[in-house]
Amino acid sequence: MPGTTSTPDVADLVSVRYMVDDVEKSIAFYTEHLGFTVRTDFAPAFADVVRGNLRLLLSGPTSSAGRPMPDGAQPGPGGWNRIHLIVDDLVAEVERLGTAGLTFRNEIVSGPGGQQILLGDPSGNMVELFQPAAR
């Protein structure tokens, strides 16, 4: 349903814009699987979803952010920039999301700071799920 819901003031949020192919599919992905809530929904052009102090702007092809650049380049989804979500149990999250039919870009990677895996959203944008190392 187009409109707004009651959420924190936008000035108190950290905003990241993702170009997406389908705003409605992206809303469903982030709300159903990653714990975001809808802040505004103006699909098919635009929506924003929030999780804590993170505001994710989902800009579709018909949004103002999707307009071609002066040189003709067309903004689009994908790339290696990503949001970074901390989880308590990475293995359990991978199992839960895999059971839901979601696609991972890689296997769990371990490093000195913890473990991570990259989850692709419906448009190919990356979401890093990260479990910090025990200290």
Side-chain angles (χ1 to χ4, degrees):
M1 175 179 213
T4 62
T5 60
S6 177
T7 58
D9 186 88
V10 71
D12 296 326
L13 301 172
V14 175
S15 297
V16 175
R17 183 179 309 279
Y18 268 178
M19 301 303 299
V20 299
D21 295 319
D22 185 312
V23 171
E24 290 173 346
K25 282 184 181 177
S26 296
I27 290 170
F29 175 84
Y30 285 99
T31 60
E32 292 173 17
H33 301 295
L34 297 177
F36 284 78
T37 58
V38 176
R39 184 173 182 278
T40 60
D41 179 352
F42 298 105
F46 173 83
D48 60 340
V49 294
V50 295
R51 176 178 160 170
N53 289 331
L54 173 60
R55 175 179 174 232
L56 190 55
L57 295 84
L58 305 171
S59 297
T62 61
S63 70
S64 58
R67 294 181 186 152
M69 300 293 107
D71 67 0
Q74 184 74 38
W80 291 102
N81 293 322
R82 56 195 181 247
I83 60 172
H84 179 268
L85 302 177
I86 295 176
V87 299
D88 293 328
D89 184 340
L90 185 60
V91 172
E93 280 297 295
V94 168
E95 183 177 317
R96 180 182 72 82
L97 296 169
T99 299
L102 303 185
T103 304
F104 295 93
R105 179 71 188 213
N106 62 340
E107 299 293 325
I108 294 175
V109 176
S110 296
Q115 297 179 310
Q116 63 178 290
I117 194 166
L118 298 178
L119 173 68
D121 81 1
S123 297
N125 294 303
M126 292 293 111
V127 176
E128 180 180 321
L129 303 176
F130 181 79
Q131 179 181 342
R135 299 210 179 235

